[in-house]
Amino acid sequence: MPERQVAEIKTFAEDPKNKKKEEDDKDKISSSKPNGDKKDEEEELSEEDAQLKAELEMLVERLKEPNTDLYRPALETLRTLIRTSTSSMTSVPKPLKFLHPHYPELQSLFETWPTSEDKSLFADILSALAMTYSDTQPRGTLRYRLISASLMPSSSTIPEPGSWGHEYVRHLAAELGEDTPSLEKPEEEPVDNLHTLGLECAKFFLGHNAEPDAVDLLVELEIVDRIADLVDVNTFGRVCTYMDRCVNLLPPPDDVAFLRTIHNVYLQFSKLPEALSIAMRLNDPDLIREDFNVSGNPIMRRQLAFLLARAQIPVEWLHPPPSEDADGEADFPDDLMDSLSNTNLSKFFREFGKELGVAEPKSLEDVYKSHLENTRGGLSANVDSARGNLAGTFVNAFVNAGFGNDKLMVEAEEGNSWVYKNKDHGMMSAVASLGLSLLWDTDVGLSHVDRYTYSSEEHIKAGALLATGLLNAGVRTEADAALALLSEYVRNPSLSLKTCFNFADENTSMEVASLSALALGFVFVGSGNGDIISTILQTLMERDERALSEKWGRFLALGLALLFVGLQDASDATIETLKTIEHPISKQAQILVEICSFVATGNVLRVQRLLHLCGEHLEAVKEKEEAQKEKQKEKADKKDDGKDENKPDDTFQSFAVLGIAMIAMGEEIGAEMSMRQFNHLMHYGDPIIRKSIPLALGLISASNPQLPVLDTLSKYSHDSDLQVALNAIFAMGLVGAGTNNARLAQMLRQLAVYYYKEPDCLFVVRVAQGLVHMGKGTIGINPFFSDRNILSRPAIAGLLATIMAFTDAKAFVLDKYHWMLYFLVTAMYPRFLITLNEDLESLPVTVRVGQAVDVVGQAGKPRTISGFQTHQTPVRLGTTERAELATEEYIPYAHVLEGFVILRKNPGWEDTMQL
């Protein structure tokens, strides 16, 4: 038998305790080495450094001597040596390094000195030395600086912090920004001292190209409004752009305070377009009126008028209050009123189309490009022709919008009108499409629409009234024909012809009441009108539960919410009132009011609340499962009651998803983060949340087709849940609206083949194709303008109302309310840059157009655009693009080259070609 193996364990001969002793001995030896190293260092010091060290030590010794006459010269010499020393980026200045060991000794010495001017100077020097002890004795620099100031006699002043150098000021600013109450007793005087010191530091920063540091310091001290006194003609621009970028990151009310400070600075330097754009963001009628009327230059006022017209600011806001001047309304000359009313928008837009070579009308086949679809024979037979014609109506309207020459409606041969190829309610949308084709052309448009108002067919007459409203969207005329024509139909008994009347009347159907509330929301968007708010709240309280449970309830709530667009905390009282309503619509209305109030603010706390609401479904599922088990034991009728109670409860989650997009859309980082959240919600969300996410994506990047968004929507458009797919297809239309994006057009052609057996999906694919080619690529629906800084309130109202109709597409857009797609009209606006001379005639100049680059806080004057191309105006601008003049031959009146820009000749310009 083989021998059994034995495991061997090695043992150490030496005692482990002895080894530990050896290690301890080594540590002792190593700890004693630094003294030796210090001696070595002293020996290694250069002759110059050794002399400096000896001199400094001698000066410190002199301060300890009883002879007080020696103190002043010693302190003066110390101060001079510290100030004149130079340091590299990685090393501490030599005097600070050599004085570092003496700092505790000097502190003790300082306490023994009597109050005098010498002690003030001593405190100033200790303040500089305290920088080397900031880790063990925090706030020493600030403490000694304040003591130094307090010991100074009133006749003399302490030197500015900047005299100690940039690093000292930065150190002082950092300590000022920390929590200061622990520094001294909370009396009034120390706070004033801190503010004075902070302003001195900010002044130093502004003089040394450190504008962001100056702003940050004053924010910490809560005196940012005083920066207006410190800026000059060289620094105000960089300060304002930095503060502007901070606004989205601030909680209310700090964000409003920032905007008001920026406004004051711009006014101080007579930068009126910039000041007016800030006033528009604040939505303050008084500021807007003052900024508009302050300029004595009639051409500058025209430029400001173009800016106001783009945001559709009511002309009434610009008139002086009635108490001051009863005849104030007749003040503005005709050319200024034309600019304020967008009267010439149609004329310039059509000229722009001719310049770009897109004035010719496009047929449906030009958009569908069926020959590129991989179709099989006989597919067209499966398509519902009435639904196909209805889709054609919308595609034709969106693609040829504003040009007024489409072949189907405007220039159709007599008796061969497209209207009669549609059935019933389809006729209404077909006639209404005239309003879109003749958009902004109030004179010619009304004559085309007029003949349909005499039709005996009710749907055709209703469509004509809708067309009248559409073609006047965003344009005011002196006659205001739309109001005169439509008002006579308000009391008409026919449901199709009613537009808006006293909806507080309980006999009014929920449909008319809701659409009336929505109409008022559109008209008074962001105004916070108290009368309308109280009337809608009264309606919500008085209607019975059955009426509020109708599908129209969401539009009643939306009409209320639109009144609060951008008003932030002003909606708190209304939200509290809504909580008293015992019906699921209460929660829906609360969310809608909140998201409209904080639209585009990037408010993180509100987004977190909405995400929490979206997460409630997990608990709800468990509760439902438990409830179902209990209900199985109960009677069948009780089961039905329970189902009815639970049905409407999850609608609010759909609005919460849209709310995340609404709040985050104003700022790029927030928008990117929200997309990540949508991805999570898509994985774990209930069906109601999943079908709302594509709509939220469409809202957050309207007319801005970024590749990640397109790929995500493309994936969702093939979802097994048809509701998700349907909304994803529509969202693709919103994302690519007016961009002519080739990749997106190809995706939609593939979807048309994929869904050839699904009439609903195919209808939405066709509408999306129409949106992508909107205005033949010249009209966008992004609600932001002026370099994506100002939010157009009517635009966000139109986008939200259209998307709201898709939260239950089967009940609205895919039923007989497809005309709700026309809500988008308020968001439609040409994406152009047209340069004009001082007589408002077109003036072609060379411009560079490229992707906008964020250069806030960068040193020097970096390029604001990248990958630019040079064009001759007029030129089309994408959502994320920016333009700048290629030469200095002309000076623009506007601060952003977008929309209508008036130019004046640069008097100092000399043409190099002629030279």
Side-chain angles (χ1 to χ4, degrees):
M1 262 180 85
E3 286 186 15
R4 190 176 172 192
Q5 287 185 346
V6 181
E8 294 179 3
I9 301 172
K10 291 183 180 179
T11 57
F12 296 100
E14 295 175 5
D15 188 351
K17 288 181 181 177
N18 292 343
K19 193 173 183 184
K20 196 172 184 185
K21 280 179 186 176
E22 282 176 22
E23 285 175 3
D24 290 345
D25 292 340
K26 277 180 188 175
D27 289 345
K28 283 176 186 174
I29 292 164
S30 63
S31 64
S32 66
K33 269 187 182 177
N35 295 331
D37 285 351
K38 279 182 184 176
K39 285 176 184 174
D40 292 344
E41 271 181 33
E42 283 179 18
E43 287 168 13
E44 286 171 15
L45 283 176
S46 66
E47 191 178 330
E48 194 181 331
D49 289 351
Q51 187 182 345
L52 175 64
K53 188 175 182 187
E55 189 180 353
L56 289 168
E57 286 175 350
M58 182 265 291
L59 290 168
V60 170
E61 289 302 320
R62 195 167 285 175
L63 293 176
K64 297 176 186 174
E65 294 174 10
N67 186 356
T68 54
D69 294 340
L70 298 173
Y71 292 171
R72 186 76 183 183
L75 290 170
E76 292 280 6
T77 311
L78 267 176
R79 182 168 66 178
T80 308
L81 285 171
I82 294 171
R83 282 186 183 175
T84 53
S85 69
T86 55
S87 67
S88 68
M89 290 292 286
T90 53
S91 65
V92 180
K94 290 273 185 348
L96 291 184
K97 186 179 178 182
F98 296 146
L99 289 169
H100 177 76
H102 300 285
Y103 179 66
E105 199 179 354
L106 290 170
Q107 278 183 301
S108 308
L109 186 63
F110 174 78
E111 299 300 332
T112 63
W113 280 27
T115 303
S116 65
E117 196 168 339
D118 289 350
K119 189 171 183 178
S120 171
L121 178 55
F122 195 0
D124 206 16
I125 291 167
L126 283 176
S127 173
L129 289 178
M131 288 195 289
T132 60
Y133 268 81
S134 58
D135 50 346
T136 54
Q137 295 182 24
R139 299 197 201 87
T141 305
L142 177 58
R143 180 168 163 266
Y144 282 113
R145 174 77 194 182
L146 290 171
I147 292 171
S148 174
S150 64
L151 294 173
M152 265 311 230
S154 56
S155 57
S156 52
T157 56
I158 188 169
E160 290 184 354
S163 61
W164 288 104
H166 202 284
E167 195 55 44
Y168 174 80
V169 179
R170 284 184 61 190
H171 211 89
L172 199 57
E175 294 189 0
L176 271 169
E178 291 172 16
D179 190 24
T180 46
S182 59
L183 193 69
E184 296 191 28
K185 292 175 186 176
E187 297 169 4
E188 287 182 21
E189 192 184 359
V191 175
D192 288 344
N193 290 345
L194 293 176
H195 288 177
T196 307
L197 186 55
L199 290 169
E200 284 179 3
C201 292
K203 193 173 181 181
F204 177 84
F205 284 140
L206 290 171
H208 292 78
N209 300 320
E211 291 88 355
D213 293 345
V215 174
D216 293 345
L217 173 59
L218 297 187
V219 169
E220 292 289 350
L221 295 173
E222 298 179 354
I223 51 169
V224 76
D225 53 317
R226 292 170 70 175
I227 201 164
D229 305 328
L230 304 178
V231 291
D232 59 25
V233 71
N234 297 316
T235 56
F236 83 92
R238 288 168 62 86
V239 166
C240 288
T241 50
Y242 178 73
M243 288 178 71
D244 197 350
R245 289 308 302 267
C246 293
V247 168
N248 285 326
L249 309 174
L250 292 168
D254 292 353
D255 51 354
V256 175
F258 252 56
L259 285 172
R260 291 195 178 275
T261 304
I262 299 168
H263 179 265
N264 292 342
V265 173
Y266 278 138
L267 267 189
Q268 191 176 316
F269 292 93
S270 300
K271 294 289 180 183
L272 297 180
E274 289 92 331
L276 183 63
S277 67
I278 299 293
M280 285 157 64
R281 285 167 67 182
L282 287 164
N283 200 32
D284 186 325
D286 295 333
L287 276 185
I288 291 171
R289 182 175 64 250
E290 287 167 19
D291 292 349
F292 181 70
N293 292 320
V294 77
S295 174
N297 183 343
I299 297 158
M300 176 55 88
R301 290 185 82 188
R302 285 183 198 168
Q303 183 65 70
L304 298 179
F306 282 132
L307 191 59
L308 291 171
R310 172 67 182 92
Q312 295 178 32
I313 298 291
V315 178
E316 291 75 16
W317 283 13
L318 306 177
H319 297 307
S323 56
E324 291 178 25
D325 183 4
D327 302 323
E329 296 197 17
D331 282 350
F332 302 136
D334 291 345
D335 61 337
L336 199 59
M337 278 306 295
D338 286 348
S339 301
L340 281 168
S341 308
N342 266 336
T343 310
N344 296 320
L345 180 60
S346 179
K347 182 187 84 173
F348 280 117
F349 175 66
R350 290 182 186 177
E351 286 175 10
F352 171 61
K354 281 178 190 168
E355 286 284 338
L356 266 59
V358 294
E360 289 300 310
K362 271 197 173 187
S363 67
L364 297 181
E365 185 51 38
D366 292 338
V367 178
Y368 296 162
K369 295 187 178 168
S370 308
H371 61 282
L372 296 177
E373 295 175 4
N374 300 320
T375 52
R376 284 159 286 168
L379 289 188
S380 55
N382 297 324
V383 179
D384 177 6
S385 60
R387 179 58 65 90
N389 286 353
L390 183 61
T393 298
F394 288 106
V395 172
N396 177 60
F398 284 127
V399 171
N400 295 301
F403 288 99
N405 60 357
D406 73 283
K407 293 280 171 51
L408 295 188
M409 290 296 301
V410 179
E411 296 187 357
E413 294 172 17
E414 196 65 43
N416 194 24
S417 176
W418 183 257
V419 176
Y420 301 104
K421 293 185 180 177
N422 289 275
K423 292 180 181 174
D424 301 336
H425 46 81
M427 290 180 170
M428 180 174 168
S429 286
V431 178
S433 72
L434 263 177
L436 210 54
S437 186
L438 295 157
L439 196 59
W440 310 309
D441 189 351
T442 50
D443 300 333
V444 178
L446 285 174
S447 61
H448 274 282
V449 173
D450 187 53
R451 57 187 168 141
Y452 291 103
T453 56
Y454 304 111
S455 171
S456 56
E457 179 65 53
E458 202 174 88
H459 290 296
I460 292 178
K461 195 181 283 190
L465 299 181
L466 182 52
T468 306
L470 291 177
L471 64 88
N472 280 278
V475 179
R476 280 177 74 114
T477 54
E478 202 175 335
D480 216 350
L483 188 64
L485 288 168
L486 297 176
S487 53
E488 62 186 86
Y489 292 96
V490 167
R491 290 284 179 187
N492 196 296
S494 162
L495 184 63
S496 301
L497 301 181
K498 281 182 184 173
T499 51
C500 175
F501 65 89
N502 184 8
F503 54 91
D505 180 2
E506 286 186 18
N507 298 325
T508 308
S509 75
M510 196 63 183
E511 179 181 344
V512 174
S514 299
L515 289 175
S516 304
L518 184 61
L520 286 170
F522 272 121
V523 175
F524 293 93
V525 62
S527 67
N529 187 300
D531 296 339
I532 300 168
I533 292 167
S534 57
T535 310
I536 297 178
L537 283 172
Q538 184 186 341
T539 307
L540 283 167
M541 289 171 174
E542 289 176 356
R543 290 289 169 132
D544 58 25
E545 196 170 329
R546 188 184 57 78
L548 291 176
S549 300
E550 283 186 37
K551 63 184 180 183
W552 292 101
R554 67 192 71 197
F555 286 105
L556 190 61
L558 179 61
L560 176 64
L562 290 179
L563 298 168
F564 291 101
V565 168
L567 297 187
Q568 299 201 12
D569 294 324
S571 60
D572 288 354
T574 303
I575 291 172
E576 290 303 316
T577 311
L578 286 167
K579 286 178 183 174
T580 62
I581 300 170
E582 294 178 2
H583 188 275
I585 198 171
S586 163
K587 200 163 189 178
Q588 297 169 25
Q590 286 172 46
I591 291 170
L592 284 172
V593 169
E594 185 177 343
I595 66 177
C596 284
S597 303
F598 289 89
V599 62
T601 56
N603 189 304
V604 179
L605 296 175
R606 304 285 167 171
V607 172
Q608 285 174 347
R609 265 201 64 207
L610 295 171
L611 282 169
H612 181 70
L613 289 169
C614 294
E616 281 182 14
H617 68 289
L618 299 171
E619 295 158 14
V621 168
K622 289 176 188 173
E623 288 169 10
K624 279 179 187 174
E625 285 172 358
E626 289 168 7
Q628 279 171 357
K629 286 175 187 174
E630 290 172 10
K631 282 174 189 171
Q632 282 172 2
K633 300 170 189 175
E634 294 172 8
K635 292 179 183 178
D637 59 335
K638 283 187 181 177
K639 274 188 191 174
D640 296 338
D641 294 343
K643 282 179 187 171
D644 288 344
E645 284 172 21
N646 289 337
K647 263 184 188 175
D649 285 355
D650 60 356
T651 313
F652 71 88
Q653 291 185 317
S654 178
F655 302 158
V657 173
L658 295 177
I660 295 168
M662 287 273 287
I663 292 171
M665 72 194 298
E667 181 241 336
E668 284 177 27
I669 298 168
E672 213 168 293
M673 288 170 70
S674 66
M675 287 183 190
R676 216 175 301 160
Q677 296 296 340
F678 292 148
N679 198 17
H680 293 311
L681 290 172
M682 199 71 184
H683 282 294
Y684 307 113
D686 271 359
I688 186 82
I689 290 175
R690 292 184 80 247
K691 75 176 186 183
S692 305
I693 284 167
L695 298 174
L697 287 170
L699 182 61
I700 212 164
S701 54
S703 288
N704 186 13
Q706 301 161 309
L707 277 179
V709 180
L710 291 184
D711 290 342
T712 306
L713 288 173
S714 179
K715 185 172 71 179
Y716 295 161
S717 66
H718 294 83
D719 198 273
S720 55
D721 182 348
L722 272 184
Q723 285 292 308
V724 175
L726 202 92
N727 288 353
I729 295 165
F730 180 66
M732 288 165 88
L734 292 180
V735 168
T739 61
N740 280 349
N741 189 291
R743 184 191 178 109
L744 192 48
Q746 175 63 21
M747 285 180 186
L748 291 169
R749 281 198 293 275
Q750 289 168 351
L751 285 168
V753 177
Y754 185 78
Y755 285 117
Y756 76 97
K757 283 185 176 175
E758 289 286 345
D760 287 350
C761 289
L762 186 59
F763 171 74
V764 179
V765 169
R766 295 306 187 201
V767 170
Q769 285 178 307
L771 289 173
V772 169
H773 298 286
M774 182 186 283
K776 296 167 225 171
T778 57
I779 296 176
I781 58 168
N782 194 288
F784 292 94
F785 66 97
S786 189
D787 215 1
R788 287 174 297 149
N789 281 326
I790 307 175
L791 175 73
S792 167
R793 287 172 167 76
I796 199 67
L799 276 172
L800 192 55
T802 313
I803 284 171
M804 193 65 71
F806 272 88
T807 54
D808 190 355
K810 286 226 178 300
F812 293 109
V813 178
L814 299 176
D815 194 26
K816 56 184 181 182
Y817 305 104
H818 34 73
W819 50 264
M820 287 186 166
L821 286 166
Y822 291 130
F823 285 151
L824 279 176
V825 165
T826 58
M828 289 166 62
Y829 200 85
R831 297 288 312 169
F832 56 35
L833 163 62
I834 294 179
T835 46
L836 308 169
N837 62 19
E838 296 185 348
D839 297 324
L840 300 190
E841 294 162 352
S842 191
L843 173 66
V845 295
T846 312
V847 290
R848 299 191 193 100
V849 178
Q851 286 296 312
V853 179
D854 182 15
V855 294
V856 174
Q858 289 186 19
K861 291 188 176 179
R863 282 238 175 247
T864 55
I865 57 174
S866 70
F868 61 82
Q869 292 181 320
T870 307
H871 297 282
Q872 191 92 344
T873 57
V875 66
R876 185 197 176 279
L877 293 177
T879 304
T880 57
E881 288 180 335
R882 189 181 282 160
E884 58 181 40
L885 293 174
T887 64
E888 294 179 7
E889 186 179 354
Y890 292 96
I891 300 171
Y893 279 91
H895 66 301
V896 176
L897 296 187
E898 195 176 299
F900 297 108
V901 176
I902 303 174
L903 303 176
R904 63 186 168 91
K905 194 83 172 169
N906 184 352
W909 165 259
E910 290 181 359
D911 195 340
T912 51
M913 295 295 287
Q914 290 178 359
L915 291 172

